[in-house]
Every structure is written in structure tokens, then in C-alpha cells.
Amino acid sequence: MKISDSMVSAINDQIKAEYDSAYIYLAMSAYFKDAGLDGMAHWMQKQYREEVEHAEKFINYLYDRGARVIIPDVAKPKDNYTDALEVFKTAYAHEQYVTSRIYALVDLAISEKDYATQSMLKWFVDEQVEEEDNTSGIVSKLEFLGTDKHGLYAVDRELLAR
């Protein structure tokens, strides 16, 4: 069964969102590297790579369905923050945004009775649960620590192990 033009368009739009996400995390990594928080920079670098992989999953899915892939322009991300907490709050809010986008794709696939796309999107639905949990957990730790520099250092070391 041929994938609909509306679904192809929506997935191509999601490819852009995944690359935008990658660049957001890359900029966050650079911010942390500049701040001397190597563990947080490493964590964000891993996020960057995951987002590129997510874009590639969508690209390969469109190829598998015989659809045209449109490689997007990538938006310039924010590159300056006040502190680690602001960065991770931004990351958490961004993951919630991505989740809403994935849910919209699922809704479209359901409305079009596109069972193949529904099946493919299940992986992304599950992935977003993990992404939101990871970022919200770090936000909670940083909120708990407040301005405690020793605690910040400990969280930074913890994130280096990812």
C-alpha cells in the first residue's frame, strides 16, 4: 500500500524537527564544554547523536515506503544559557514538544489507517517516554541542589558515565 502524500509531508517535517533537535543538543554541549562541565557536554553530545539517528530512522522509513525524502534546512539553536538548570529545563521542554509531534504523527497514521507507519512510530512513542524521564530526572536533581557547586560537580561526573 502506498504511503499518503500527507504522511510523507508530515514525516519529512519530522525529519527537520529531528535535525533541529540534534543542533539544539549540539549547541547545549558546546555551552557545557565552554563552562568546563565535561560530563554534561558529553551527555548532550550523546543526545545530539541520538537525534541524528532518529532522523535517519525516519529517512530510511520513507525510502522503504518508496517516498521522497526532503533534506531540510536546520534552524540555528540558542547558544547561551544562565546555568545548567536552564539548559536541562529547556531540554526537558523540548522533549515534551517532540513527544507532542510524535503523537500528532500517530494520530495522522491512525486517521489514515496507515498500519505500517503506526507500527514504526511505536518505537518513537516508547523512546519519548525514556527521553522525558531522563531529562526530567536531571532537572529534579539540579533543582534539589540549587546553587551547591559540589553537587553540580557530582551530577556532572555522573553524566560523564553515560
Side-chain angles (χ1 to χ4, degrees):
M1 176 177 220
K2 187 176 181 321
I3 190 170
S4 73
D5 290 342
S6 60
M7 185 59 71
V8 171
S9 178
I11 291 174
N12 271 309
D13 191 47
Q14 186 62 32
I15 291 167
K16 176 183 177 14
E18 297 295 341
Y19 281 123
D20 285 343
S21 296
Y23 269 57
I24 288 167
Y25 288 124
L26 186 61
M28 288 174 171
S29 178
Y31 168 80
F32 282 131
K33 194 70 172 169
D34 289 344
L37 295 166
D38 292 342
M40 292 181 187
H42 170 77
W43 195 92
M44 289 297 178
Q45 187 70 224
K46 292 276 193 181
Q47 284 298 111
Y48 160 75
R49 287 190 188 108
E50 277 190 13
E51 299 303 334
V52 170
E53 288 174 11
H54 296 171
E56 290 171 351
K57 281 182 185 281
F58 281 113
I59 288 168
N60 289 328
Y61 178 74
L62 287 182
Y63 287 151
D64 290 347
R65 297 291 305 271
R68 175 116 162 75
V69 172
I70 307 298
I71 302 300
D73 290 335
V74 179
K76 182 184 181 331
K78 178 178 177 176
D79 59 5
N80 200 17
Y81 298 89
T82 57
D83 58 19
L85 180 58
E86 181 192 3
V87 176
F88 277 100
K89 280 184 172 182
T90 301
Y92 178 53
H94 184 73
E95 288 302 336
Q96 291 174 310
Y97 165 72
V98 171
T99 298
S100 72
R101 292 185 57 87
I102 297 298
Y103 288 0
L105 286 172
V106 171
D107 289 343
L108 179 60
I110 290 169
S111 74
E112 293 188 355
K113 297 183 180 181
D114 182 342
Y115 302 110
T117 301
Q118 287 177 51
S119 177
M120 181 272 298
L121 289 171
K122 183 184 182 318
W123 184 90
F124 286 96
V125 169
D126 295 342
E127 176 71 4
Q128 284 310 118
V129 170
E130 179 185 330
E131 297 290 358
E132 286 190 30
D133 181 52
N134 288 339
T135 52
S136 70
I138 297 167
V139 167
S140 293
K141 285 178 185 179
L142 293 173
E143 286 176 335
F144 176 78
L145 293 171
T147 59
D148 178 5
K149 299 279 189 207
H150 296 291
L152 178 65
Y153 178 79
V155 171
D156 186 60
R157 295 297 96 191
E158 176 186 331
L159 296 182
L160 191 58
R162 177 178 184 202

